[in-house]
Amino acid sequence: MKIPKPIRKLLASRDIWKNNRLILRELKHFRFTVLTALTFTIIGAFLEGATVGLIAAYLQGITNPDIPPIRTGFQWFDTYILAASTGSGERIVRLSILLVVMSWCRSAFVFAGVYYARVCEFKLVDRIRKQLFDQFQNLSLSFYSTTQTGKLINIANDQVNQLRSVVTDASNLLTRSATLIAYVVAMIVISWQLSIIAILLYSLLSIAVTWMVRDAREASFAVPKAENDLASIVTELINGIRTIQGSAAQDFERDRFYRSSYDVVKSGTRLAGLRERTKPISEAAATTILIFLVVISSFSIKGSGSFGAAALLTFMFVLFRMMPLVSQVNGLSTKLVSYRGLIDSVQDLLRTDDKPYLKSGTLPFEGLLKSIRLVDVDFSYGQNKKILENISIEIEKNKTTALVGASGAGKTTLADLIPRFYDPTRGEILIDGIDLKKFDSNSFRRRIAVVSQDTFIFNRSAKENIAYGIENVDEVALYEAAALANALDFILEMPSGFDTILGDRGVRLSGGQRQRIAIARALLRNPDILILDEATSALDSTTEKAIQKSLENLSKGRTVIAIAHRLSTIMNADKIIVLEKGKVIEQGTYKDLLSKNGALRKYHNAQFSESNYVETTS
């Protein structure tokens, strides 16, 4: 029989498994566990249906012991299991024992099915969490410059954990569907006429529920978006609490948070209303169907007498057991569809075709031989205005090249191109004449140390922060690096010395101490190429002189790229490159550029008097 077109279209829209394709794709990686859970679930459902058949024989033996017993047609089963050839008393005893045994076996298989389904949950979340972690590490920095941190944290933590609920509900749906099928088979065996009526009525109920599912699916997309926005506001609050309090902006932030929190409540309650209405409606409809079938079956037994009391009681028993199952199947189907927004949120973050990546080369970097050259390099973030334009410079080996310019001139962006945090939008970067893209990124970065003005301190010990990324660190080298960075004294004064936990983002340290930890980290790496981005910006003048001496010692025999607003830190650089609005406007030694009375002279005059300059250069 051909299904009418409107019903076919409606059924096609209820493509639960397609909505959860992320889950299905990941479950393939532990097929054995999944198959084990499915097998135990199906066996449990089969035993449930078989128990129903035994109940019919059991009730007949009690209510009508004189009529011939029910037979399956399998002689050995009828003789040895159902005891069809014995008296009614022994038959009842044997069926009682069999019912008890099958009930315990069914419970054991149901437990095993549920247990392995839970194992699948944890394995699934573990796989997706690891994929997200790898995704975060492989993405270009340009992705993070345009994406809310709170959103990423919310997806990686809360929403990934919620995927467990998807597997739980899918497992429950499978269990109840299998049991429902077993009940349907048992009903058909008892009375195929009444079964057809029941199946048609319950099918119409399921189709009606589908209309309600559609609204829940659409509403599901708003929930993760609202949660991500709220998580971003909380993250900004924690990270920027000093600025917020200093600006007396608590009321402003409170209003933002309250509005965002209300959006979460609004979207969540709307989804809950659309999702939860399915259960009571389907239960009421299922009860109506049940009463209708009871009336029909009662007329059947009175009219023809062919439908025995035992069979009727068993049929009613199955219907009563089916009613909550139908309701649960409809409810679980609705819940699975309502996870669509959550799953899409995780799936979109895992996509690779719409995100920026820096594809690593394969050539190992053995060390710089001559120079780093930038040839006609342009750079911009997305479609925005160019940050760098037509940059052509050479950074020679074992020499210090300083980048000077006003804020926003592109100094840090240019320095970020060297360790390949970004790729140029035009032009190329050559390492001894070889395109930087051809080198293995990690092998190249292991020869580089970066000390930036925005020093990041991990919530770990001082030792772990200085030796970050280095295994089996030498204790003597660790102490020497800390001493050269002028950090040894304050580290030893802390409660546990090098084992003292520095707190989130180094909250237990002053700005200067955080900077010195970063410098010690760079010293310990013993890099070939050293990038100093305002490396002494957070230090007082006394400490700056001590650190500057250490950096000068560190710079010997190394290629140094230094960015500094304080010209006193780069006076002895081998080359000064002056940037303005993303372009190189002059380059040369400090003295040569001063004599030209150009941009560097302007910056110099703004920081020094002529007498001070003569004193510092004499």
Side-chain angles (χ1 to χ4, degrees):
M1 182 180 70
K2 186 176 181 181
I3 301 176
K5 185 176 180 180
I7 296 179
R8 290 204 316 271
K9 185 176 179 181
L10 184 59
L11 292 175
S13 68
R14 191 177 181 176
D15 194 353
I16 296 172
W17 306 115
K18 183 178 180 180
N19 291 348
N20 295 294
R21 57 189 179 276
L22 169 67
I23 309 297
L24 297 176
R25 184 188 69 203
E26 296 304 322
L27 289 178
K28 291 191 299 185
H29 294 281
F30 32 94
R31 295 184 182 89
F32 177 77
T33 307
V34 174
L35 291 175
T36 301
L38 290 175
T39 301
F40 285 142
T41 298
I42 292 171
I43 293 175
F46 170 78
L47 290 175
E48 180 78 14
T51 302
V52 171
L54 287 177
I55 289 175
Y58 186 72
L59 291 175
Q60 179 179 293
I62 294 176
T63 58
N64 297 294
D66 296 329
I67 65 174
I70 295 176
R71 294 178 180 270
T72 63
F74 297 98
Q75 186 175 357
W76 67 270
F77 187 82
D78 295 336
T79 301
Y80 298 105
I81 304 299
L82 299 181
S85 302
T86 63
S88 61
E90 183 179 346
R91 187 165 65 249
I92 291 173
V93 171
R94 193 173 297 185
L95 286 175
S96 299
I97 296 172
L98 185 59
L99 279 171
V100 171
V101 171
M102 290 186 67
S103 295
W104 280 98
C105 289
R106 184 192 66 82
S107 297
F109 280 110
V110 169
F111 164 76
V114 171
Y115 171 76
Y116 281 103
R118 298 297 177 268
V119 173
C120 290
E121 291 176 21
F122 287 104
K123 288 186 176 181
L124 171 73
V125 171
D126 179 64
R127 272 194 58 83
I128 294 179
R129 189 183 290 123
K130 289 175 179 176
Q131 288 181 48
L132 285 174
F133 182 82
D134 291 339
Q135 176 83 312
F136 291 156
Q137 290 205 114
N138 294 331
L139 285 167
S140 169
L141 290 183
S142 59
F143 171 80
Y144 296 99
S145 64
T146 58
T147 307
Q148 294 175 319
T149 302
K151 173 184 176 181
L152 299 180
I153 294 173
N154 187 51
I155 293 175
N157 288 334
D158 296 339
Q159 294 184 13
V160 169
N161 284 328
Q162 290 179 47
L163 290 179
R164 289 181 52 198
S165 300
V166 180
V167 179
T168 299
D169 291 335
S171 172
N172 291 336
L173 177 61
L174 177 65
T175 301
R176 285 153 180 75
S177 298
T179 305
L180 194 59
I181 292 172
Y183 281 158
V184 169
V185 172
M187 286 171 54
I188 292 174
V189 172
I190 297 171
S191 173
W192 64 269
Q193 297 94 335
L194 285 176
S195 298
I196 290 177
I197 297 174
I199 291 171
L200 286 175
L201 292 175
Y202 280 120
S203 296
L204 290 174
L205 173 60
S206 296
I207 292 173
V209 169
T210 301
W211 291 103
M212 294 182 283
V213 169
R214 182 179 298 172
D215 293 337
R217 180 186 60 195
E218 295 303 320
S220 69
F221 294 103
V223 175
K225 181 182 183 301
E227 291 176 344
N228 291 339
D229 291 342
L230 183 64
S232 295
I233 291 175
V234 173
T235 302
E236 290 176 357
L237 172 70
I238 294 172
N239 291 336
I241 188 64
R242 183 183 181 92
T243 301
I244 292 169
Q245 292 183 351
S247 304
Q250 291 94 328
D251 291 340
F252 172 76
E253 290 297 330
R254 183 182 296 108
D255 290 341
R256 285 184 66 209
F257 180 83
Y258 283 10
R259 286 196 301 270
S260 183
S261 182
Y262 174 74
D263 289 340
V264 173
V265 174
K266 182 180 177 181
S267 60
T269 51
R270 181 170 184 269
L271 176 60
L274 294 173
R275 186 172 68 183
E276 299 303 328
R277 69 180 179 177
T278 306
K279 184 176 180 179
I281 291 176
S282 60
E283 284 180 350
T287 301
T288 304
I289 294 171
L290 176 63
I291 299 301
F292 178 72
L293 290 172
V294 169
V295 173
I296 293 178
S297 59
S298 63
F299 279 113
S300 176
I301 188 172
K302 290 178 181 179
S304 63
S306 61
F307 196 54
L312 175 61
L313 289 173
T314 306
F315 193 86
M316 291 298 100
F317 172 78
V318 175
L319 278 178
F320 274 108
R321 295 290 293 268
M322 276 186 62
M323 186 178 70
L325 281 178
V326 171
S327 175
Q328 291 168 14
V329 167
N330 286 327
L332 289 168
S333 299
T334 305
K335 286 185 70 176
L336 283 176
V337 172
S338 72
Y339 290 127
R340 179 66 183 271
L342 165 69
I343 294 172
D344 280 2
S345 181
V346 177
Q347 194 163 256
D348 286 343
L349 186 53
L350 286 173
R351 284 181 60 182
T352 58
D353 60 323
D354 62 343
K355 295 179 180 63
Y357 295 89
L358 294 178
K359 186 178 179 181
S360 177
T362 58
L363 191 65
F365 180 68
E366 302 295 343
L368 187 65
L369 300 178
K370 294 182 180 179
S371 66
I372 302 171
R373 291 179 58 221
L374 281 71
V375 182
D376 298 328
V377 167
D378 289 355
F379 179 80
S380 61
Y381 296 100
Q383 302 298 321
N384 298 330
K385 179 183 177 182
K386 290 180 181 179
I387 307 299
L388 299 175
E389 185 175 357
N390 197 30
I391 302 294
S392 293
I393 61 173
E394 183 173 17
I395 300 169
E396 297 180 72
K397 177 185 177 182
N398 295 342
K399 291 187 177 181
T400 297
T401 301
L403 305 178
V404 175
S407 296
K411 305 183 299 297
T412 298
T413 301
L414 192 155
D416 284 344
L417 296 178
I418 305 303
R420 209 182 163 206
F421 293 148
Y422 305 97
D423 278 338
T425 51
R426 187 181 73 89
E428 57 185 356
I429 300 174
L430 303 178
I431 309 297
D432 295 327
I434 302 174
D435 194 329
L436 177 58
K437 296 178 182 178
K438 295 183 179 180
F439 288 100
D440 177 80
S441 296
N442 286 334
S443 72
F444 182 70
R445 289 170 181 166
R446 289 190 186 101
R447 300 295 191 97
I448 297 177
V450 180
V451 180
S452 68
Q453 54 186 327
D454 184 20
T455 299
F456 189 88
I457 301 298
F458 296 91
N459 189 18
R460 301 174 190 173
S461 68
K463 176 181 178 180
E464 290 173 307
N465 268 281
I466 295 174
Y468 181 72
I470 302 175
E471 296 182 1
N472 303 318
V473 62
D474 181 67
E475 295 289 336
V476 175
L478 180 72
Y479 273 71
E480 288 180 351
L484 285 172
N486 201 24
L488 184 60
D489 290 342
F490 80 78
I491 291 176
L492 294 178
E493 290 174 358
M494 291 192 293
S496 300
F498 276 90
D499 295 323
T500 303
I501 302 299
L502 301 183
D504 190 28
R505 293 179 175 267
V507 68
R508 300 184 63 175
L509 303 176
S510 67
Q513 289 173 333
R514 286 196 294 270
Q515 205 79 329
R516 281 177 272 178
I517 290 288
I519 293 171
R521 184 188 297 165
L523 286 162
L524 188 62
R525 288 176 67 90
N526 193 22
D528 294 341
I529 302 171
L530 181 65
I531 299 177
L532 305 174
D533 186 356
E534 301 292 341
T536 60
S537 62
L539 305 179
D540 57 76
S541 57
T542 302
T543 305
E544 179 187 353
K545 291 179 180 179
I547 296 299
Q548 191 62 39
K549 184 63 177 178
S550 299
L551 290 176
E552 289 174 4
N553 293 333
L554 172 64
S555 301
K556 293 177 181 178
R558 291 182 174 84
T559 305
V560 179
I561 302 166
I563 302 172
H565 283 302
R566 297 182 186 178
L567 298 182
S568 60
T569 62
I570 47 92
M571 283 183 174
N572 296 322
D574 298 289
K575 180 188 290 186
I576 308 291
I577 296 175
V578 183
L579 295 170
E580 189 172 292
K581 296 181 180 180
K583 298 180 180 180
V584 175
I585 58 173
E586 59 184 25
Q587 54 183 311
T589 65
Y590 199 94
K591 288 184 178 181
D592 289 343
L593 294 182
L594 280 181
S595 64
K596 293 180 179 179
N597 291 321
L600 185 67
R601 165 63 73 175
K602 180 180 66 175
Y603 293 133
H604 174 84
N605 289 343
Q607 293 188 27
F608 304 99
S609 66
E610 284 296 326
S611 59
N612 284 339
Y613 170 63
V614 171
E615 182 180 345
T616 55
T617 56
S618 60

